[in-house]
Coordinates of all heavy atoms in Angstrom, one line a residue:
M12 N 0.6 -2.2 -11.1 CA 0.4 -0.8 -11.3 C 1.7 0.0 -11.2 O 2.5 -0.3 -10.4 CB -0.5 -0.3 -10.1 CG -1.9 -0.9 -10.0 SD -2.9 -0.2 -8.6 CE -3.3 1.4 -9.3
T13 N 1.8 0.9 -12.1 CA 2.9 1.8 -12.1 C 2.8 2.8 -10.9 O 1.8 3.0 -10.3 CB 3.1 2.5 -13.4 OG1 2.0 3.5 -13.5 CG2 3.1 1.6 -14.6
L14 N 3.9 3.5 -10.6 CA 3.9 4.5 -9.6 C 2.9 5.6 -9.9 O 2.1 6.0 -9.1 CB 5.3 5.1 -9.4 CG 5.5 6.3 -8.5 CD1 5.0 6.0 -7.1 CD2 6.9 6.8 -8.5
E15 N 2.9 6.0 -11.2 CA 1.9 7.0 -11.6 C 0.5 6.6 -11.5 O -0.4 7.3 -11.1 CB 2.2 7.5 -13.1 CG 1.5 8.7 -13.5 CD 1.7 9.9 -12.6 OE1 2.8 10.1 -12.1 OE2 0.8 10.7 -12.5
D16 N 0.3 5.3 -11.9 CA -1.1 4.7 -11.8 C -1.6 4.8 -10.3 O -2.7 5.1 -10.0 CB -1.2 3.3 -12.2 CG -1.0 3.1 -13.7 OD1 -1.2 4.0 -14.5 OD2 -0.5 1.9 -14.1
I17 N -0.7 4.4 -9.4 CA -1.0 4.4 -7.9 C -1.3 5.8 -7.5 O -2.4 6.0 -6.8 CB 0.1 3.8 -7.1 CG1 0.4 2.3 -7.5 CG2 -0.1 4.0 -5.6 CD1 1.6 1.7 -7.0
K18 N -0.5 6.7 -7.8 CA -0.8 8.2 -7.4 C -2.1 8.7 -7.9 O -2.8 9.3 -7.2 CB 0.4 9.1 -7.8 CG 1.7 8.8 -7.0 CD 2.8 9.7 -7.4 CE 4.0 9.6 -6.6 NZ 5.0 10.6 -7.1
V19 N -2.3 8.4 -9.2 CA -3.6 8.9 -9.9 C -4.8 8.3 -9.1 O -5.8 9.0 -8.8 CB -3.6 8.6 -11.4 CG1 -5.0 8.8 -11.9 CG2 -2.6 9.5 -12.0
A20 N -4.7 7.0 -8.9 CA -5.9 6.3 -8.2 C -6.1 6.8 -6.8 O -7.2 7.1 -6.4 CB -5.6 4.8 -8.2
V21 N -5.0 7.0 -6.0 CA -5.1 7.6 -4.7 C -5.7 8.9 -4.7 O -6.6 9.3 -3.9 CB -3.8 7.5 -3.9 CG1 -3.8 8.2 -2.6 CG2 -3.4 6.1 -3.7
D22 N -5.2 9.8 -5.6 CA -5.6 11.2 -5.7 C -7.1 11.2 -6.1 O -7.8 12.2 -5.8 CB -4.8 11.9 -6.6 CG -3.4 12.2 -6.2 OD1 -3.1 12.0 -4.9 OD2 -2.5 12.6 -7.0
A23 N -7.6 10.2 -6.8 CA -9.0 10.2 -7.3 C -9.9 9.5 -6.2 O -11.1 9.4 -6.4 CB -9.1 9.3 -8.6
G24 N -9.3 9.2 -5.0 CA -10.1 8.7 -3.9 C -10.3 7.2 -4.0 O -11.1 6.7 -3.2
Q25 N -9.6 6.5 -4.8 CA -9.7 5.0 -4.9 C -8.8 4.4 -3.8 O -7.8 5.0 -3.5 CB -9.3 4.5 -6.2 CG -10.3 4.9 -7.3 CD -9.8 4.4 -8.7 OE1 -8.8 4.7 -9.2 NE2 -10.7 3.5 -9.3
T26 N -9.2 3.2 -3.3 CA -8.4 2.6 -2.3 C -7.4 1.7 -3.1 O -7.8 0.7 -3.7 CB -9.3 1.8 -1.3 OG1 -10.2 2.7 -0.7 CG2 -8.4 1.1 -0.3
V27 N -6.1 1.9 -2.8 CA -5.1 1.1 -3.4 C -4.4 0.3 -2.3 O -4.1 0.8 -1.3 CB -4.0 1.9 -4.1 CG1 -2.9 1.1 -4.7 CG2 -4.6 2.8 -5.3
H28 N -4.3 -1.0 -2.5 CA -3.7 -1.9 -1.6 C -2.3 -2.4 -2.1 O -2.1 -2.4 -3.3 CB -4.6 -3.1 -1.3 CG -5.9 -2.8 -0.7 ND1 -6.0 -2.5 0.6 CD2 -7.1 -2.7 -1.3 CE1 -7.3 -2.3 0.9 NE2 -8.0 -2.4 -0.2
W29 N -1.5 -2.9 -1.2 CA -0.3 -3.5 -1.5 C -0.2 -4.9 -0.9 O -0.5 -5.0 0.2 CB 0.9 -2.7 -1.0 CG 2.2 -3.4 -1.1 CD1 2.9 -3.7 -2.3 CD2 3.1 -3.8 -0.1 NE1 4.1 -4.3 -2.0 CE2 4.2 -4.3 -0.7 CE3 3.1 -3.7 1.3 CZ2 5.3 -4.9 0.1 CZ3 4.1 -4.2 2.1 CH2 5.2 -4.7 1.4
V30 N 0.0 -5.9 -1.7 CA 0.1 -7.3 -1.3 C -1.2 -7.9 -0.8 O -1.6 -8.9 -1.3 CB 1.2 -7.5 -0.2 CG1 1.3 -9.0 0.2 CG2 2.5 -7.0 -0.6
N31 N -1.9 -7.3 0.1 CA -3.2 -7.7 0.6 C -4.0 -6.5 1.1 O -3.5 -5.4 1.1 CB -3.1 -8.9 1.6 CG -2.4 -8.5 2.9 OD1 -2.8 -7.5 3.5 ND2 -1.4 -9.2 3.3
T32 N -5.2 -6.8 1.5 CA -6.1 -5.6 1.9 C -5.7 -5.0 3.2 O -6.2 -4.0 3.6 CB -7.6 -6.1 1.9 OG1 -7.7 -7.2 2.7 CG2 -8.0 -6.4 0.5
G33 N -4.8 -5.6 3.9 CA -4.3 -5.0 5.2 C -3.4 -3.8 5.0 O -3.1 -3.1 5.9
Y34 N -2.8 -3.7 3.8 CA -1.9 -2.6 3.4 C -2.6 -1.7 2.5 O -3.2 -2.1 1.5 CB -0.6 -3.1 2.7 CG 0.2 -3.9 3.6 CD1 0.1 -5.3 3.7 CD2 1.2 -3.3 4.5 CE1 0.9 -6.1 4.5 CE2 2.0 -4.1 5.3 CZ 1.9 -5.5 5.3 OH 2.7 -6.2 6.2
V35 N -2.6 -0.4 2.9 CA -3.4 0.7 2.0 C -2.4 1.8 1.8 O -1.6 2.2 2.6 CB -4.5 1.2 2.9 CG1 -5.2 2.4 2.1 CG2 -5.5 0.2 3.2
V36 N -2.4 2.2 0.5 CA -1.6 3.4 0.1 C -2.4 4.7 0.5 O -3.5 4.8 0.2 CB -1.3 3.4 -1.4 CG1 -0.5 4.6 -1.8 CG2 -0.5 2.1 -1.8
H37 N -1.7 5.6 1.2 CA -2.3 6.8 1.7 C -1.5 8.0 1.4 O -0.3 7.9 1.4 CB -2.5 6.6 3.2 CG -2.9 7.8 4.0 ND1 -4.2 8.3 3.9 CD2 -2.3 8.7 4.7 CE1 -4.3 9.4 4.7 NE2 -3.1 9.7 5.1
K38 N -2.1 9.1 1.1 CA -1.4 10.3 0.8 C -1.7 11.2 2.1 O -2.8 11.5 2.4 CB -1.9 11.0 -0.4 CG -1.2 12.3 -0.7 CD -1.7 12.9 -2.0 CE -1.0 14.2 -2.4 NZ -1.5 14.7 -3.7
D39 N -0.6 11.5 2.8 CA -0.8 12.3 4.0 C -0.9 13.8 3.7 O -0.8 14.3 2.5 CB 0.4 12.0 5.0 CG 1.7 12.6 4.6 OD1 1.8 13.3 3.6 OD2 2.7 12.3 5.3
R40 N -1.1 14.6 4.7 CA -1.3 16.0 4.6 C -0.1 16.8 4.1 O -0.2 17.9 3.6 CB -1.8 16.7 5.9 CG -0.8 16.6 7.0 CD -1.4 17.2 8.3 NE -0.5 16.9 9.4 CZ -0.8 16.3 10.4 NH1 -2.0 15.8 10.6 NH2 0.1 16.0 11.4
L41 N 1.1 16.1 4.1 CA 2.3 16.7 3.5 C 2.5 16.3 2.0 O 3.5 16.8 1.4 CB 3.5 16.3 4.3 CG 3.5 16.6 5.8 CD1 4.7 16.1 6.5 CD2 3.5 18.2 6.0
G42 N 1.6 15.5 1.5 CA 1.7 15.1 0.2 C 2.5 13.9 -0.1 O 2.8 13.5 -1.2
Q43 N 2.9 13.2 1.0 CA 3.7 12.0 0.9 C 2.8 10.8 0.7 O 1.8 10.7 1.4 CB 4.5 11.8 2.2 CG 5.4 12.9 2.6 CD 6.1 12.7 3.9 OE1 7.2 12.4 4.0 NE2 5.3 12.9 5.0
Y44 N 3.2 9.9 -0.2 CA 2.5 8.7 -0.4 C 3.1 7.6 0.5 O 4.3 7.4 0.5 CB 2.5 8.2 -1.9 CG 1.7 9.2 -2.7 CD1 2.4 10.3 -3.2 CD2 0.4 9.0 -3.0 CE1 1.7 11.2 -4.1 CE2 -0.3 9.8 -3.8 CZ 0.3 10.9 -4.3 OH -0.3 11.8 -5.1
L45 N 2.3 6.9 1.3 CA 2.7 6.0 2.3 C 2.0 4.7 2.1 O 0.8 4.6 1.7 CB 2.5 6.5 3.7 CG 3.1 7.8 4.0 CD1 2.6 8.4 5.4 CD2 4.6 7.8 4.1
I46 N 2.6 3.6 2.5 CA 2.0 2.3 2.6 C 1.8 2.0 4.1 O 2.7 1.9 4.9 CB 2.9 1.1 2.0 CG1 3.2 1.4 0.5 CG2 2.1 -0.2 2.2 CD1 4.2 0.5 0.0
I47 N 0.5 1.9 4.5 CA 0.2 1.8 5.9 C -0.4 0.4 6.1 O -1.3 -0.1 5.4 CB -0.8 2.9 6.3 CG1 -0.2 4.3 6.1 CG2 -1.3 2.7 7.8 CD1 -1.2 5.4 6.4
Y48 N 0.1 -0.3 7.2 CA -0.5 -1.5 7.6 C -1.6 -1.1 8.6 O -1.3 -0.6 9.7 CB 0.5 -2.4 8.3 CG 0.0 -3.8 8.7 CD1 -0.7 -4.6 7.8 CD2 0.0 -4.1 10.1 CE1 -1.2 -5.8 8.2 CE2 -0.5 -5.4 10.4 CZ -1.1 -6.2 9.5 OH -1.6 -7.4 9.9
V49 N -2.9 -1.2 8.1 CA -4.0 -0.6 8.9 C -4.3 -1.2 10.3 O -4.8 -0.5 11.1 CB -5.3 -0.6 8.1 CG1 -5.1 0.3 6.8 CG2 -5.7 -2.0 7.7
L50 N -3.8 -2.4 10.5 CA -4.1 -3.0 11.8 C -3.3 -2.4 12.9 O -3.8 -2.4 14.1 CB -3.9 -4.5 11.8 CG -4.9 -5.3 10.8 CD1 -4.6 -6.7 10.8 CD2 -6.3 -5.0 11.2
N51 N -2.1 -1.9 12.7 CA -1.4 -1.3 13.7 C -0.8 0.1 13.4 O 0.0 0.7 14.2 CB -0.2 -2.2 14.2 CG 0.8 -2.4 13.1 OD1 0.9 -1.7 12.1 ND2 1.7 -3.4 13.4
G52 N -1.1 0.6 12.2 CA -0.6 2.0 11.8 C 0.8 2.1 11.4 O 1.3 3.2 11.1
S53 N 1.5 1.0 11.3 CA 2.9 1.0 10.8 C 2.9 1.4 9.3 O 2.0 1.1 8.6 CB 3.7 -0.4 11.0 OG 3.8 -0.7 12.3
C54 N 4.0 2.1 9.0 CA 4.0 2.6 7.6 C 5.4 2.7 7.0 O 6.4 2.7 7.8 CB 3.3 3.9 7.4 SG 4.1 5.3 8.2
I55 N 5.5 2.6 5.7 CA 6.8 2.9 5.0 C 6.4 3.8 3.8 O 5.2 3.9 3.5 CB 7.4 1.6 4.5 CG1 6.5 0.8 3.5 CG2 7.9 0.7 5.6 CD1 7.1 -0.3 2.8
G56 N 7.3 4.4 3.2 CA 7.1 5.2 2.1 C 6.7 4.4 0.9 O 7.1 3.2 0.8
L57 N 5.9 4.9 0.0 CA 5.5 4.2 -1.2 C 6.8 3.9 -2.1 O 6.8 3.0 -2.8 CB 4.5 5.0 -2.0 CG 4.0 4.4 -3.3 CD1 3.4 3.1 -3.2 CD2 3.1 5.4 -4.0
T58 N 7.8 4.9 -2.0 CA 8.9 4.8 -2.9 C 10.2 4.9 -2.1 O 10.2 5.1 -0.9 CB 8.9 5.9 -4.0 OG1 9.1 7.1 -3.3 CG2 7.7 5.9 -4.8
D59 N 11.3 4.7 -2.8 CA 12.7 5.0 -2.2 C 12.8 6.5 -1.9 O 11.9 7.3 -2.2 CB 13.8 4.5 -3.1 CG 13.8 5.2 -4.5 OD1 13.0 6.1 -4.7 OD2 14.6 4.8 -5.3
R60 N 13.8 6.8 -1.3 CA 14.0 8.3 -0.9 C 14.0 9.3 -2.0 O 13.6 10.4 -1.9 CB 15.3 8.5 -0.1 CG 15.2 7.8 1.3 CD 16.5 8.0 2.1 NE 16.4 7.3 3.3 CZ 16.5 7.8 4.5 NH1 16.7 9.1 4.6 NH2 16.5 7.0 5.5
E61 N 14.4 8.8 -3.2 CA 14.4 9.7 -4.4 C 13.0 9.8 -5.0 O 12.8 10.7 -5.9 CB 15.4 9.2 -5.4 CG 16.9 9.3 -5.0 CD 17.4 8.3 -4.0 OE1 16.9 7.2 -4.1 OE2 18.2 8.7 -3.1
G62 N 12.1 9.0 -4.6 CA 10.8 9.0 -5.1 C 10.6 8.4 -6.5 O 9.6 8.6 -7.1
H63 N 11.5 7.5 -6.9 CA 11.4 6.9 -8.2 C 11.1 5.4 -8.2 O 10.5 4.9 -9.1 CB 12.7 7.1 -9.0 CG 13.1 8.6 -9.1 ND1 12.3 9.5 -9.8 CD2 14.1 9.2 -8.6 CE1 12.9 10.6 -9.7 NE2 14.0 10.6 -9.0
R64 N 11.6 4.7 -7.2 CA 11.4 3.2 -7.2 C 10.4 2.8 -6.1 O 10.5 3.2 -5.0 CB 12.8 2.5 -7.0 CG 12.7 1.0 -7.3 CD 14.0 0.4 -7.1 NE 14.5 0.4 -5.7 CZ 15.6 0.9 -5.2 NH1 16.5 1.3 -6.0 NH2 15.9 0.9 -3.9
L65 N 9.4 2.0 -6.5 CA 8.4 1.5 -5.6 C 9.0 0.6 -4.5 O 10.0 -0.2 -4.7 CB 7.4 0.7 -6.3 CG 6.3 1.4 -7.1 CD1 5.5 0.4 -8.0 CD2 5.4 2.3 -6.3
N66 N 8.5 0.7 -3.3 CA 8.9 -0.2 -2.2 C 8.0 -1.4 -2.3 O 7.0 -1.6 -1.5 CB 8.8 0.5 -0.8 CG 9.9 1.4 -0.5 OD1 11.1 1.0 -0.9 ND2 9.8 2.4 0.2
G67 N 8.1 -2.2 -3.3 CA 7.3 -3.3 -3.6 C 7.2 -3.5 -5.1 O 7.6 -2.6 -5.8
K68 N 6.8 -4.6 -5.5 CA 6.7 -4.9 -7.0 C 5.5 -4.2 -7.5 O 4.4 -4.3 -6.8 CB 6.7 -6.4 -7.3 CG 8.0 -7.0 -6.8 CD 8.0 -8.5 -7.1 CE 9.2 -9.2 -6.6 NZ 9.1 -10.6 -6.6
A69 N 5.5 -3.7 -8.7 CA 4.3 -3.0 -9.3 C 3.1 -4.0 -9.4 O 2.0 -3.6 -9.2 CB 4.7 -2.5 -10.7
A70 N 3.4 -5.3 -9.6 CA 2.3 -6.2 -9.7 C 1.6 -6.5 -8.4 O 0.5 -7.1 -8.3 CB 2.8 -7.6 -10.3
E71 N 2.2 -6.1 -7.3 CA 1.6 -6.4 -5.9 C 0.7 -5.2 -5.5 O 0.0 -5.4 -4.5 CB 2.7 -6.4 -4.9 CG 3.7 -7.6 -5.1 CD 4.8 -7.7 -4.2 OE1 5.3 -6.6 -3.7 OE2 5.3 -8.7 -3.9
F72 N 0.5 -4.2 -6.3 CA -0.4 -3.2 -6.0 C -1.7 -3.4 -6.7 O -1.7 -3.7 -7.9 CB 0.2 -1.8 -6.3 CG 1.4 -1.4 -5.4 CD1 2.6 -1.8 -5.7 CD2 1.1 -0.7 -4.2 CE1 3.7 -1.4 -4.9 CE2 2.2 -0.3 -3.4 CZ 3.5 -0.7 -3.7
F73 N -2.8 -3.1 -6.1 CA -4.1 -3.3 -6.7 C -5.1 -2.4 -6.1 O -5.0 -1.9 -5.0 CB -4.6 -4.7 -6.7 CG -4.8 -5.3 -5.3 CD1 -6.1 -5.3 -4.7 CD2 -3.7 -5.8 -4.5 CE1 -6.3 -5.8 -3.5 CE2 -3.9 -6.3 -3.3 CZ -5.2 -6.3 -2.7
I74 N -6.2 -2.0 -6.9 CA -7.3 -1.1 -6.5 C -8.3 -2.1 -5.8 O -8.6 -3.2 -6.3 CB -7.8 -0.4 -7.6 CG1 -6.8 0.6 -8.2 CG2 -9.1 0.4 -7.2 CD1 -7.2 1.4 -9.4
A75 N -8.9 -1.6 -4.7 CA -9.8 -2.4 -4.0 C -11.1 -2.7 -4.9 O -11.5 -1.8 -5.6 CB -10.3 -1.6 -2.7
R76 N -11.5 -3.9 -4.7 CA -12.8 -4.3 -5.5 C -13.9 -4.0 -4.5 O -13.7 -3.8 -3.3 CB -12.7 -5.8 -5.8 CG -11.6 -6.1 -6.7 CD -11.5 -7.6 -7.0 NE -11.4 -8.3 -5.6 CZ -10.7 -9.4 -5.4 NH1 -10.0 -9.9 -6.4 NH2 -10.7 -9.9 -4.2
S77 N -15.1 -4.0 -5.0 CA -16.3 -3.7 -4.2 C -16.5 -4.7 -3.0 O -16.9 -4.3 -2.0 CB -17.6 -3.7 -5.0 OG -17.8 -5.0 -5.6
E78 N -16.0 -6.0 -3.1 CA -16.2 -6.9 -2.0 C -15.0 -6.7 -1.0 O -15.1 -7.3 0.1 CB -16.2 -8.3 -2.5 CG -15.1 -8.8 -3.2 CD -15.1 -8.7 -4.7 OE1 -16.0 -7.9 -5.3 OE2 -14.4 -9.3 -5.4
D79 N -14.0 -6.0 -1.3 CA -12.9 -5.7 -0.3 C -13.5 -4.6 0.7 O -13.7 -3.5 0.3 CB -11.7 -5.2 -1.0 CG -11.0 -6.2 -1.8 OD1 -11.2 -7.5 -1.6 OD2 -10.2 -5.8 -2.7
C80 N -13.7 -5.0 1.9 CA -14.2 -4.1 2.9 C -13.5 -4.3 4.2 O -12.6 -5.1 4.3 CB -15.7 -4.2 3.0 SG -16.3 -5.9 3.4
A81 N -13.9 -3.5 5.2 CA -13.3 -3.5 6.5 C -13.1 -4.9 7.1 O -12.1 -5.2 7.7 CB -14.1 -2.6 7.4
E82 N -14.1 -5.8 7.0 CA -13.9 -7.1 7.6 C -12.9 -8.0 6.9 O -12.5 -9.0 7.4 CB -15.2 -7.8 7.7 CG -15.9 -8.2 6.4 CD -17.0 -7.2 6.0 OE1 -17.0 -6.1 6.6 OE2 -17.8 -7.5 5.2
N83 N -12.4 -7.6 5.7 CA -11.4 -8.3 5.0 C -10.0 -7.8 5.3 O -9.1 -8.3 4.6 CB -11.7 -8.3 3.5 CG -12.9 -9.1 3.1 OD1 -13.3 -10.0 3.8 ND2 -13.6 -8.7 2.1
L84 N -9.8 -6.9 6.1 CA -8.4 -6.4 6.4 C -7.5 -7.5 6.7 O -7.8 -8.3 7.6 CB -8.5 -5.3 7.4 CG -9.2 -4.0 7.1 CD1 -9.2 -3.1 8.3 CD2 -8.6 -3.3 5.9
G85 N -6.4 -7.5 6.0 CA -5.3 -8.5 6.4 C -5.6 -9.8 5.7 O -4.8 -10.7 5.9
S86 N -6.6 -9.9 4.9 CA -6.9 -11.2 4.2 C -5.8 -11.5 3.2 O -5.1 -10.6 2.8 CB -8.3 -11.2 3.6 OG -8.3 -10.4 2.4
Q87 N -5.8 -12.7 2.7 CA -4.9 -13.1 1.7 C -5.3 -12.8 0.3 O -4.7 -13.3 -0.7 CB -4.5 -14.6 1.9 CG -4.0 -14.8 3.3 CD -2.7 -14.1 3.6 OE1 -1.8 -14.1 2.8 NE2 -2.7 -13.5 4.7
S88 N -6.4 -12.1 0.1 CA -7.0 -11.9 -1.3 C -6.1 -10.9 -2.1 O -5.8 -9.9 -1.6 CB -8.4 -11.4 -1.2 OG -8.5 -10.1 -0.7
R89 N -5.8 -11.3 -3.3 CA -5.2 -10.4 -4.3 C -5.9 -10.8 -5.6 O -6.4 -11.9 -5.8 CB -3.7 -10.7 -4.4 CG -2.9 -10.0 -3.4 CD -1.5 -10.1 -3.6 NE -1.0 -10.1 -5.0 CZ 0.2 -10.4 -5.3 NH1 1.0 -10.9 -4.5 NH2 0.5 -10.4 -6.7
P90 N -5.9 -9.8 -6.5 CA -6.6 -10.1 -7.8 C -6.1 -11.3 -8.5 O -6.7 -12.0 -9.3 CB -6.3 -8.8 -8.7 CG -6.0 -7.8 -7.7 CD -5.4 -8.5 -6.4
D91 N -4.7 -11.6 -8.4 CA -4.2 -12.8 -9.1 C -4.2 -14.0 -8.2 O -3.7 -15.1 -8.6 CB -2.7 -12.5 -9.5 CG -1.8 -12.1 -8.2 OD1 -2.3 -12.3 -7.1 OD2 -0.7 -11.7 -8.5
G92 N -4.9 -13.9 -7.0 CA -5.0 -15.1 -6.2 C -3.8 -15.5 -5.4 O -3.7 -16.6 -4.8
Q93 N -2.7 -14.7 -5.5 CA -1.5 -15.1 -4.8 C -1.3 -14.2 -3.6 O -0.4 -13.3 -3.5 CB -0.3 -14.9 -5.8 CG -0.4 -15.8 -6.9 CD 0.8 -15.6 -7.9 OE1 1.7 -14.8 -7.6 NE2 0.9 -16.4 -9.0
G94 N -2.0 -14.5 -2.6 CA -2.0 -13.6 -1.4 C -0.8 -14.0 -0.5 O -0.2 -15.1 -0.6
R95 N -0.3 -13.0 0.2 CA 0.8 -13.2 1.2 C 0.5 -12.5 2.4 O -0.2 -11.4 2.4 CB 2.1 -12.6 0.7 CG 2.6 -13.3 -0.6 CD 4.0 -12.8 -0.9 NE 4.2 -12.8 -2.3 CZ 5.2 -12.1 -2.9 NH1 6.0 -11.4 -2.2 NH2 5.3 -12.1 -4.2
G96 N 1.0 -12.9 3.6 CA 0.7 -12.3 4.8 C 1.7 -11.2 5.2 O 1.4 -10.4 6.1
V97 N 2.9 -11.3 4.6 CA 3.9 -10.3 4.9 C 4.6 -9.8 3.7 O 4.3 -10.2 2.6 CB 5.0 -10.9 5.8 CG1 4.5 -11.4 7.1 CG2 5.7 -12.1 5.1
A98 N 5.3 -8.8 3.9 CA 6.1 -8.2 2.7 C 7.0 -9.1 2.1 O 7.5 -10.1 2.8 CB 6.7 -6.8 3.2
P99 N 7.5 -8.9 0.9 CA 8.5 -9.7 0.3 C 9.7 -9.9 1.2 O 10.2 -8.9 1.8 CB 8.8 -9.0 -1.0 CG 7.7 -8.2 -1.3 CD 7.1 -7.8 0.0
G100 N 10.3 -11.1 1.3 CA 11.5 -11.3 2.1 C 11.1 -11.6 3.6 O 12.0 -11.7 4.4
G101 N 9.8 -11.6 3.9 CA 9.4 -11.9 5.2 C 9.4 -10.8 6.2 O 9.0 -10.9 7.4
A102 N 9.7 -9.5 5.7 CA 9.7 -8.4 6.5 C 8.4 -7.7 6.6 O 7.8 -7.6 5.5 CB 10.9 -7.4 6.1
G103 N 8.0 -7.2 7.7 CA 6.7 -6.5 7.8 C 7.0 -5.0 7.6 O 8.1 -4.6 7.4
A104 N 5.9 -4.2 7.7 CA 6.1 -2.8 7.5 C 6.9 -2.2 8.7 O 6.8 -2.7 9.8 CB 4.7 -2.1 7.5
H105 N 7.8 -1.3 8.4 CA 8.6 -0.7 9.4 C 7.8 0.2 10.3 O 7.1 1.1 9.8 CB 9.8 0.1 8.9 CG 10.6 -0.8 8.0 ND1 11.5 -1.7 8.5 CD2 10.8 -0.8 6.6 CE1 12.1 -2.3 7.5 NE2 11.7 -1.8 6.4
P106 N 7.8 0.0 11.7 CA 7.1 0.9 12.5 C 7.6 2.3 12.6 O 8.6 2.6 13.3 CB 7.1 0.2 13.9 CG 8.4 -0.6 13.8 CD 8.6 -1.0 12.4
L107 N 7.0 3.2 11.9 CA 7.5 4.6 11.9 C 6.5 5.5 12.6 O 6.7 6.7 12.7 CB 7.7 5.1 10.5 CG 8.7 4.3 9.7 CD1 8.7 4.9 8.2 CD2 10.1 4.5 10.3
G108 N 5.5 4.9 13.2 CA 4.5 5.8 13.8 C 3.5 6.2 12.9 O 3.6 6.1 11.7
R109 N 2.4 6.7 13.4 CA 1.2 7.2 12.6 C 1.6 8.5 12.0 O 2.0 9.4 12.6 CB 0.0 7.3 13.4 CG -0.5 6.0 13.9 CD -1.8 6.2 14.7 NE -2.2 5.0 15.3 CZ -3.0 4.1 14.8 NH1 -3.6 4.4 13.6 NH2 -3.4 3.0 15.4
Q110 N 1.4 8.6 10.6 CA 1.7 9.8 9.9 C 0.5 10.2 9.1 O 0.6 10.4 7.9 CB 2.9 9.7 9.0 CG 4.2 9.3 9.8 CD 5.4 9.2 8.9 OE1 5.4 9.6 7.8 NE2 6.5 8.8 9.5
R111 N -0.6 10.3 9.7 CA -1.9 10.6 8.9 C -2.2 12.0 9.0 O -1.9 12.8 9.8 CB -3.0 9.8 9.6 CG -2.8 8.3 9.3 CD -3.9 7.6 9.7 NE -3.6 6.1 9.6 CZ -4.3 5.2 9.9 NH1 -5.5 5.4 10.5 NH2 -3.9 4.0 9.8

């Protein structure tokens, strides 16, 4: 998904995930798009500071399917079948506190 695709989907109320269903793209009350690890609330920005480059590969973002639900949080499911448990390079989401 492109940056614009992600923003449009989130703004339309669709659930967009990154890497697996444990990560959700959220728009906060300040209009910032964040990637939140839902199990502990850690988050990073959707993009770099300039707002142009995704913090993740475009192919790693996907819209939730109907079978993706709360009990699947953190699962390894991805539309392409290539699930991962952590962010690329082995790093998890940076703990910046809850920004909801």
Side-chain angles (χ1 to χ4, degrees):
M12 298 180 75
T13 67
L14 175 58
E15 189 60 29
D16 292 339
I17 294 166
K18 289 181 175 182
V19 167
V21 170
D22 291 345
Q25 294 179 298
T26 302
V27 177
H28 296 284
W29 172 63
V30 181
N31 65 53
T32 56
Y34 293 93
V35 175
V36 179
H37 171 76
K38 184 176 180 181
D39 70 8
R40 64 179 171 242
L41 300 176
Q43 302 172 105
Y44 292 87
L45 306 169
I46 301 170
I47 299 176
Y48 184 56
V49 296
L50 295 179
N51 66 13
S53 295
C54 66
I55 61 174
L57 177 61
T58 64
D59 61 5
R60 290 181 187 240
E61 289 77 34
H63 302 294
R64 193 177 67 228
L65 286 170
N66 280 328
K68 296 177 184 175
E71 295 174 330
F72 291 89
F73 61 98
I74 295 174
R76 299 175 307 215
S77 60
E78 62 267 17
D79 290 337
C80 55
E82 62 263 14
N83 289 333
L84 291 176
S86 75
Q87 302 299 311
S88 65
R89 276 186 39 196
D91 59 8
Q93 298 179 359
R95 295 189 213 164
V97 296
H105 301 289
L107 299 175
R109 293 182 189 265
Q110 296 184 12
R111 295 183 184 176

